[in-house]
């Protein structure tokens, strides 16, 4: 029980301290001259309700249109996804393979097609079919590529944060993680983790090392694959992509369970390799990647300890050193910080008033991760892909107006910021 308590103290302090470095974004001198060419890839499985709005959105980005092309992979589609994407102006590739199902396989297939083309690109950008994209997204990625970054994750925002309490709490969790985890690690020089969408990868990395990420969390798998060779994933805080959040608790449960399964799968395969390589190179970035992969294991361990601590009050069967290592005042500050950080982040992003009301449900969403993580561990070897249905059809303009506070709405409309 003493080693268990020491692990809890270490993880708690480590991530609490890191969180402070994500409160503010450092000033950056940006390279604004368009230079890099992009292949935008959208993996879509039966996405006829949302694919059209995304492709239309991508056609009006603030970046020279001769420097990027839009490719849609219609993967095992049984609806009109391919036709709608073609009509909207995308280059569509249809894939049918019922044995190798899932986004990872679709992307690997599309990369092979892409690299066989006569036209070549400097980087690949990946979006999900339900996304909407900030007009400056490619400009921000161009800036990072010009500075030598190779694997980059954009800011994961919410397309529909006020639809239901589940969508709202899901969005809050993403906003919080964007700041106290992604931005914090970028500010410290550590590696972020790809989020599956809004990610940019230099084609020389893909061509040299291949994609090869086909598990349930292909984004995390590729992150660890590149980290193992010393290439960290960076964070582009101003490259914003809007993701559709689940509307119901069961949708959220299934999606997060798939993430948990994939996390345990990647952890089992990469923790030993990263640990050996991190120690050999004395590279804190690689060792930090190990800590990220251990996170769900830590959640199981800490939950087990909490349960045992209740028994401790009946029968004191172990030595409690938590308050010997850290004073109770420090534990109190950490406990309060869990609730203060979300408030700070919502204030920084000027969240809609509805989001503030939904904040009361945020702890319920956070603690629901506990049973989901246990189930993810039990089913970690199950690699059957479960598709999340997307139905929230919105234009970029309508999405911004729906999610903005009144001041921002008036400002957007008065300046005609959205065409």
């Amino acid at each position: 029980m003493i080693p268990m308590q020491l692990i809890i103290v270490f993880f708690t302090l480590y991530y609490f301290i890191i969180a402070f470095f994500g409160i503010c974004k450092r000033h950056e001198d940006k390279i604004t001259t368009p230079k890099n060419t992009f292949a935008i890839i959208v993996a879509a499985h039966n996405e006829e309700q949302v694919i059209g709005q995304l492709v239309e959105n991508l056609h009006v980005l603030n970046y020279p249109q001769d420097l990027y092309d839009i490719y849609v992979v219609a993967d095992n589609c049984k609806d009109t996804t391919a036709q709608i994407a073609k009509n909207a102006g995308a280059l569509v590739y249809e894939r049918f393979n019922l044995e190798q199902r899932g986004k990872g396989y679709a992307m690997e297939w599309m990369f092979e097609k892409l690299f066989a083309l006569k036209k070549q690109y400097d980087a690949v950008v990946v979006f999900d079919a339900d996304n909407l994209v900030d007009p400056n997204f490619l400009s921000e990625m161009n800036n990072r590529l010009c500075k030598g970054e190779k694997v980059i994750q954009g800011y994961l925002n919410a397309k529909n944060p006020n639809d239901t309490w589940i969508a709202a709490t899901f969005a809050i969790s993403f906003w919080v993680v964007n700041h106290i985890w992604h931005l914090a690690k970028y500010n410290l020089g550590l590696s972020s983790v790809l989020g599956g969408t809004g990610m940019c990868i230099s084609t020389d990395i893909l061509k040299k090392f291949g994609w090869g990420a086909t598990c349930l969390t292909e984004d995390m798998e590729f992150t660890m694959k590149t980290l193992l060779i010393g290439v960290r994933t960076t964070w582009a805080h101003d490259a914003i992509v809007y993701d559709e959040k689940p509307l119901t608790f069961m949708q959220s449960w299934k999606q997060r369970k798939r993430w948990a399964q994939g996390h345990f799968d990647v952890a089992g395969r990469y923790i030993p390799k990263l640990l050996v390589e991190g120690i050999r190179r004395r590279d804190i970035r690689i060792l930090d990647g190990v800590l990220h992969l251990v996170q769900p294991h830590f959640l199981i361990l800490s939950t087990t300890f909490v349960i045992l601590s209740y028994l401790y009050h009946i029968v004191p069967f172990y030595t409690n050193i938590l308050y010997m290592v850290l004073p109770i005042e420090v534990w109190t500050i950490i406990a309060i910080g869990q609730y203060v950080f979300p408030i700070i982040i919502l204030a920084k992003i000027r969240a809609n008033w509805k989001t503030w009301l939904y904040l009361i449900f945020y702890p319920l969403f956070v603690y629901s991760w506990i049973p989901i993580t246990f189930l993810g561990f039990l089913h970690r070897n199950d690699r059957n892909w479960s598709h999340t249905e997307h139905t929230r059809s919105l234009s970029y303009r309508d999405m911004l107006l729906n999610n903005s506070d009144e001041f921002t709405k008036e400002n957007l409309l008065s300046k005609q910021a959205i065409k």
Side-chain angles (χ1 to χ4, degrees):
M1 294 293 288
I2 289 178
M4 183 182 291
Q5 293 172 80
L6 291 175
I7 291 171
I8 289 172
V9 169
F10 171 76
F11 266 85
T12 303
L13 277 179
Y14 185 76
Y15 283 105
F16 185 70
I17 293 170
I18 282 179
F20 283 95
F21 291 88
I23 298 299
C24 296
K25 185 170 74 74
R26 293 182 302 183
H27 172 74
E28 178 186 3
D29 293 323
K30 296 182 179 180
I31 299 171
T32 57
T33 304
K35 175 186 175 183
N36 292 281
T37 56
F38 296 92
I40 297 177
I41 296 180
V42 181
H45 172 68
N46 294 336
E47 300 283 11
E48 62 183 3
Q49 297 192 58
V50 293
I51 189 65
Q53 287 78 10
L54 172 61
V55 176
E56 291 170 4
N57 174 203
L58 293 173
H59 275 300
V60 293
L61 299 182
N62 295 332
Y63 201 75
Q65 293 205 5
D66 61 329
L67 295 183
Y68 73 95
D69 292 309
I70 305 165
Y71 295 87
V72 171
V73 188
D75 186 43
N76 291 311
C77 290
K78 297 179 181 179
D79 62 0
T80 58
T81 294
Q83 190 58 51
I84 292 174
K86 286 178 184 177
N87 293 342
L91 302 168
V92 178
Y93 286 71
E94 294 189 71
R95 173 183 180 269
F96 297 96
N97 188 326
L98 297 179
E99 293 182 3
Q100 296 180 329
R101 302 175 65 178
K103 182 179 174 183
Y105 287 110
M107 288 173 59
E108 186 164 48
W109 180 85
M110 187 62 222
F111 288 148
E112 291 177 1
K113 300 289 184 184
L114 191 68
F115 297 151
L117 296 176
K118 183 177 181 180
K119 183 176 183 179
Q120 295 294 293
Y121 302 88
D122 296 312
V124 170
V125 171
V126 178
F127 295 116
D128 287 338
D130 59 287
N131 295 164
L132 292 171
V133 183
D134 183 88
N136 293 322
F137 187 93
L138 290 184
S139 296
E140 294 293 338
M141 289 302 181
N142 174 71
N143 166 56
R144 293 305 177 84
L145 289 168
C146 288
K147 293 180 178 180
E149 298 178 18
K150 297 291 187 180
V151 182
I152 314 157
Q153 176 59 50
Y155 186 102
L156 297 170
N157 210 323
K159 175 180 172 182
N160 59 324
N162 301 310
D163 283 358
T164 65
W165 75 270
I166 282 294
T169 51
F170 219 114
I172 292 170
S173 71
F174 268 71
W175 292 327
V176 171
V177 169
N178 284 345
H179 288 79
I180 70 171
W181 199 89
H182 286 292
L183 179 59
K185 288 201 171 188
Y186 183 71
N187 286 339
L188 288 168
L190 299 173
S191 178
S192 186
V193 173
L194 293 175
T197 186
M199 53 190 190
C200 176
I201 306 169
S202 175
T203 50
D204 60 351
I205 291 290
L206 282 171
K207 288 179 178 179
K208 185 175 181 179
F209 301 104
W211 174 248
T214 55
C215 76
L216 296 181
T217 49
E218 75 292 329
D219 44 8
M220 184 181 297
E221 184 177 7
F222 188 77
T223 299
M224 298 306 161
K225 177 181 177 178
T226 54
L227 186 57
L228 191 61
I229 58 174
V231 179
R232 74 178 181 122
T233 297
T234 59
W235 175 253
H237 199 72
D238 296 326
I240 305 171
V241 56
Y242 298 84
D243 189 41
E244 181 179 322
K245 304 307 178 192
L247 300 177
T248 68
F249 187 78
M250 284 311 299
Q251 284 181 326
S252 163
W253 181 282
K254 290 178 181 178
Q255 187 177 53
R256 289 186 289 158
K257 179 175 174 286
R258 173 169 59 83
W259 292 347
Q261 290 172 234
H263 196 133
F264 280 114
D265 177 24
V266 175
R269 290 184 287 120
Y270 277 89
I271 285 178
K273 300 176 185 177
L274 289 169
L275 191 59
V276 170
E277 192 65 14
I279 294 173
R280 187 183 71 84
R281 295 191 183 194
R282 297 183 178 87
D283 192 333
I284 186 63
R285 297 176 302 175
I286 298 178
L287 294 176
D288 176 75
V290 174
L291 294 180
H292 175 71
L293 291 180
V294 170
Q295 276 190 333
H297 303 82
F298 170 71
L299 180 59
I300 291 176
L301 180 143
S302 58
T303 302
T304 303
F305 177 78
V306 169
I307 294 172
L308 292 176
S309 67
Y310 285 111
L311 297 177
Y312 173 85
H313 292 295
I314 302 172
V315 181
F317 63 95
Y318 67 89
T319 303
N320 191 325
I321 65 167
L322 287 180
Y323 299 124
M324 295 170 59
V325 179
L326 288 180
I328 190 170
E329 292 81 6
V330 176
W331 286 109
T332 302
I333 292 172
I334 292 172
I336 295 173
Q338 295 181 70
Y339 300 96
V340 172
F341 279 128
I343 293 173
I344 294 173
I345 302 307
L346 290 188
K348 283 179 64 68
I349 66 172
R350 303 189 65 160
N352 186 288
W353 65 269
K354 291 182 181 179
T355 305
W356 286 100
L357 293 179
Y358 284 127
L359 184 61
I360 193 173
F361 297 106
Y362 183 63
L364 178 61
F365 175 85
V366 171
Y367 288 114
S368 67
W369 269 108
I370 295 174
I372 289 172
T373 302
F374 274 90
L375 287 173
F377 177 75
L378 293 174
H379 299 278
R380 62 191 181 279
N381 295 320
D382 180 5
R383 298 189 178 186
N384 291 324
W385 179 269
S386 60
H387 177 250
T388 303
E389 184 179 0
H390 300 117
T391 59
R392 199 64 167 95
S393 180
L394 285 172
S395 69
Y396 182 76
R397 178 182 187 278
D398 290 339
M399 182 270 300
L400 282 187
L401 293 177
N402 286 349
N403 299 339
S404 301
D405 56 29
E406 291 304 315
F407 174 81
T408 307
K409 281 183 184 180
E410 292 177 7
N411 191 44
L412 288 171
L413 291 174
S414 64
K415 293 184 177 181
Q416 296 183 343
I418 313 167
K419 296 181 181 180

